[in-house]
Amino acid sequence: MFANPKALVVVSKALYLDMLRAKTLIEQYMADIPPQEVNVQHPNPPSIPSSSASLANALEELRKGAELRDAGIITDEEFEKLKRKLMNA
């Protein structure tokens, strides 16, 4: 149908604005994850972050992940992986 199979066709202004919000959320989320931590599984049991700053950062990252999940940008499974990662940090 389209020359570029990766093309995104937006049929309304509302959908376009939703797409821009999703893009912004993804960029913010990805900017907050250090490259060495992406797709890393920690063998340690879950623990609570040791300082209030660490806890605040973990909660903020969890909130961002929930926004991405609620927007349909990440799956429930990806959100659960994020939660496990934050619990092991």
Side-chain angles (χ1 to χ4, degrees), residues 2-81:
F2 296 102
N4 182 351
K6 295 181 180 181
L8 177 65
V9 178
V10 181
V11 295
S12 73
K13 184 176 181 177
L15 290 175
Y16 175 73
L17 294 174
D18 286 345
M19 181 194 65
L20 289 179
R21 281 191 290 272
K23 179 181 181 278
T24 301
L25 284 172
I26 291 169
E27 289 170 346
Q28 289 171 348
Y29 176 75
M30 295 305 292
D32 289 342
I33 300 176
Q36 68 273 16
E37 292 186 18
V38 176
N39 294 325
V40 173
Q41 294 184 354
H42 300 281
N44 303 334
S47 63
I48 297 174
S50 58
S51 71
S52 59
S54 295
L55 179 58
N57 290 337
L59 291 174
E60 179 63 19
E61 193 164 346
L62 186 61
R63 182 193 61 76
K64 288 178 183 180
E67 286 178 4
L68 292 171
R69 180 202 56 206
D70 294 343
I73 297 167
I74 64 173
T75 65
D76 288 340
E77 180 180 293
E78 290 168 320
F79 179 70
E80 290 302 317
K81 285 181 184 178

